[in-house]
Structures are given as structure tokens and as C-alpha cells.
């Protein structure tokens, strides 16, 4: 037996409590920064497994398992749920009104707990330090920042590499990875522009912020179509434009809510600068009596996998699962705050995608060309990864990736 086979030999005997833990977490989801019961479960499990456990960043939990001389590997799982009303009809559907694990973080927690248990039980097969980090508030981009601000890098051993995964609407039993950008950077932006209010019958007495905001919306479309190099990726979405309360009142301000996605930090900087330039220019052209306000929030860094780490983990996956189960990941326009953790330590990382969709349903949808319609994606009220084999696969990927560094 190689190290992975040795450590994973006890997986089948652990699946009963892992399934129970997963369904418990799914039934009782908790929103960002409110993961109190989830954190308690994680603390109790890690302590029972023999990890040294620390609370970091409020509801964040980190377990450290030192096992002799060798590299240090940190594996991360996020814990928070979403303000979504579940519509899956599952027997273990959310019992919390308007809250649901619609992104699979309950599975992430369960899989990493399973890996932690097996790593603790299989210490004879590896040497070094294994760190299991359970992060709050990924959905609002605040959890990794909170853990770093609370002294993460001084409270746990410095890792040599950081690992993470995310369940996606791919066939269960498969895993996908790629070097370079795998998830986009994401920025949300609230812009307030100012006008001069007046009666609707007297537009000449106003500086109309509705017209101003409309001009801004139209001009923003030119950032992608005319300022971004063909082949470079950028999305600029105006998700909301709010102004006024009554048909015969010209208001004195308008607000716009924007979402921006990019795969390159230089492109990101240019897009954000272009947005501010356009808004300032349109305000000046309209005779706005006050400078606009820019409020950035829910910001997510770029997730760009280290080539060497990704190749080492990919090779380990292929050796364990077989090449047919390991695919090249397509870049996702979704965003994550995970990369702040390896950035704080100054170490490389890789982030892979884990299949969670029923394989038969996926194959049938793929044959009809209806995957997008028939296979619910993350954040959908119908999102429901199949427990088997997704949970087992998620445990295995964590163990195999860690042992590609820690195996004796």
C-alpha cells in the first residue's frame, strides 16, 4: 500500500458519521459570521481527533496536527450558508426559514472533517504538520480577511502549501483543476451621483440625476467593448439603479450598484479606473453640484493556481482516481476569498473543483444539451449535491492532495 491507500483504508467505516454530519449541517445552515453551531461542531470533532484547536477570526476554527519532521500543509474549507429559501424537497432540507446551504459549504466542512480524522488515524503513513482551517463568511468576502486580521499567520505554523476545493455542478466522482486563474476577482461597487432636485414640471431648475445615471450606465458598456483588449476577460454589470420616489419629483441623487469580474489584476485595475473616470466625467458634463461617492464592498481577490503545486496535486489525483476522473477545469466567473490565506503566508496554493451532480442525470442532460437548464448550479434553491459519491470523493481529494507533500 502507498501512503494514500494506507490513510484512506478506513474511509468506509467513517462514512456513516460523515453523512450524518453533512445532513445535520445542511438542515441547520448559518449565515456569514453567524456560524456559531457549525464552529462548535468543528471544534468538538477536531479536538476528539487529537488536533490542537484555536478560534481565529470570530467563528473561524483552525486545527493543527503535528506529526514529526516534514512539510506543513494547510487545507481550507468554508462554512457559511446563503439567504436562499430551499426548494430541493430533500428529507434533510433546511429547517431555517430563508437560509440554505446553496453553495455546498456544508459538504466542504464535512469532507475536511473526514480528511482530518483519517490523517489523524493514519499518522504512521506521513510526516510533517497538517492544518485544517474552517473559514467563515466566504459568501461576503470577509472571512479570510477576518482570520488574517486576527493574527492567523502568528497563531498557526506557517504552511509550505495551501489547498482548497469547491463542489460544483459537474458529475460526482470527478475532479477538475487547472494552473493559473481558475476563479475571477470580484468587486462590488456602490456609486452615488448628485443632482439638484426640482418639481417635475420645472426640469430647467434641476440637475437631473436620473438622466445622469442613465448616461453613466450606457457609457460603462464601452469599458468592455472598447477599452478591454479582445481576448482579455472583464464583466461590468450594473445590477441596480435607484432614484426618486414620485413621478413629478426630480430627485437630488441616484445610486448605482455595480459588479465587476476579471481574471487579471492589471485588467482589474484598468476597469476600476475606467469606471471612476467615466462617472466623474459624466458628473462634470451634467453640472453635478457635488463629487460622486464610490463605495467598494464584497471584494474578492483573484484565485490563480500555482503551476507547480497544481501539477503535483493533479498527478496525485490521476494516480489515485485514474486519469478519466481528472479533468482540466474551465475558468469560472464566480469568485472566492480563499487566496487571501496563502497570500498572508506568502506561499503557493491550488484550488480544485469537485463534482457533485448526479452522474446519470448529468449524462442525460449533456446528451440533450440541457445541462444549464437541468443541473442546478451553485446558489440555486435547487442546488443539492448527491451525498454519494461526492462526500467520499471530497474526503479523498483532501487526503491525496495533502499526502502528495506529507507522505513518507
Amino acid at each position: 500500500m502507498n501512503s494514500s491507500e494506507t490513510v484512506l483504508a478506513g474511509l468506509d467505516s467513517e462514512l456513516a458519521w460523515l453523512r450524518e454530519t453533512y445532513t445535520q449541517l445542511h438542515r441547520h445552515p448559518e449565515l456569514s459570521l453567524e456560524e456559531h453551531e457549525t464552529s462548535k461542531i468543528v471544534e468538538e470533532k477536531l479536538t476528539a481527533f487529537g488536533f490542537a484547536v484555536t478560534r481565529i477570526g470570530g467563528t473561524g476554527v483552525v486545527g493543527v496536527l503535528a506529526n514529526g519532521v516534514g512539510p506543513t500543509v494547510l487545507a481550507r474549507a468554508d462554512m457559511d450558508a446563503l439567504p436562499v429559501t430551499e426548494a430541493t424537497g430533500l428529507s434533510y432540507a433546511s429547517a431555517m426559514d430563508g437560509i440554505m446551504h446553496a453553495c455546498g459549504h456544508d459538504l466542504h466542512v464535512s469532507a475536511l472533517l473526514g480528511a482530518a480524522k483519517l490523517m489523524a488515524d493514519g499518522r504512521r503513513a506521513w510526516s510533517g504538520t497538517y492544518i485544517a482551517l474552517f473559514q467563515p463568511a466566504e459568501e461576503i468576502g470577509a472571512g479570510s480577511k477576518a482570520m488574517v486580521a486576527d493574527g492567523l499567520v502568528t497563531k498557526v505554523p506557517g504552511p509550505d502549501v495551501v489547498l482548497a476545493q469547491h463542489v460544483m455542478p459537474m458529475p460526482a466522482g470527478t475532479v477538475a483543476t487547472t494552473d493559473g486563474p481558475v476563479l475571477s476577482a470580484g468587486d462590488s461597487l456602490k456609486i452615488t451621483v448628485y443632482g439638484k432636485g426640482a418639481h417635475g414640471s420645472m426640469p430647467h431648475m434641476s440637475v437631473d440625476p436620473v438622466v445622469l445615471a442613465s448616461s453613466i450606465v450606457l457609457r460603462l458598456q464601452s469599458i468592455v467593448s472598447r477599452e478591454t483588449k479582445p481576448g482579455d476577460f472583464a464583466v461590468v454589470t450594473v445590477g441596480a439603479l435607484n432614484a426618486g420616489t414620485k413621478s413629478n419629483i426630480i430627485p437630488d441623487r441616484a445610486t448605482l450598484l455595480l459588479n465587476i469580474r476579471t481574471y487579471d489584476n492589471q485588467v482589474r485595475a484598468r476597469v476600476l479606473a475606467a469606471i471612476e473616470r467615466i462617472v466623474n466625467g459624466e458628473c462634470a458634463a451634467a453640472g453635478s453640484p457635488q463629487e460622486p461617492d464610490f463605495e467598494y464592498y464584497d471584494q474578492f481577490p483573484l484565485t490563480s493556481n500555482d503551476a507547480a503545486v497544481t501539477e503535483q496535486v493533479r498527478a496525485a489525483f490521476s494516480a489515485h482516481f485514474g486519469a478519466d476522473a481528472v479533468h482540466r477545469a474551465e475558468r469560472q466567473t464566480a469568485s472566492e476569498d480563499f487566496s487571501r490565506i496563502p497570500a498572508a503566508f506568502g506561499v503557493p496554493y491550488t484550488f480544485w473543483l469537485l463534482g457533485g451532480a448526479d452522474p446519470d442525470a448529468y449524462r442525460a442532460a449533456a446528451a440533450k444539451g440541457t445541462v444549464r437548464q437541468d443541473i442546478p448550479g451553485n446558489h440555486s434553491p435547487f442546488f443539492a449535491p448527491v451525498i454519494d459519491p461526492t462526500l467520499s470523493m471530497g474526503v479523498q481529494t483532501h487526503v491525496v492532495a495533502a499526502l502528495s507533500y506529507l507522505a513518507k
Side-chain angles (χ1 to χ4, degrees), residues 158-215:
D160 296 290
V161 65
V162 180
L163 310 170
Q165 65 181 354
H166 205 297
V167 64
M168 298 293 284
M170 313 181 317
T174 65
V175 62
T177 185
T178 189
D179 60 302
V182 63
L183 299 175
S184 71
D187 295 274
S188 290
L189 172 59
K190 178 182 178 181
I191 302 171
T192 303
V193 295
Y194 297 93
K196 180 183 177 184
H199 196 287
S201 66
M202 303 175 187
H204 60 289
M205 301 293 291
S206 75
V207 174
D208 192 335
V210 178
V211 174
L212 168 58
S214 300
S215 297

Side-chain angles (χ1 to χ4, degrees), residues 55 65 94 97 143 150 201-202 230 288 308 322 335 359 385:
R55 280 283 186 114
L65 185 66
S94 173
D97 188 35
D150 195 27
S201 66
M202 303 175 187
S288 178
S335 301

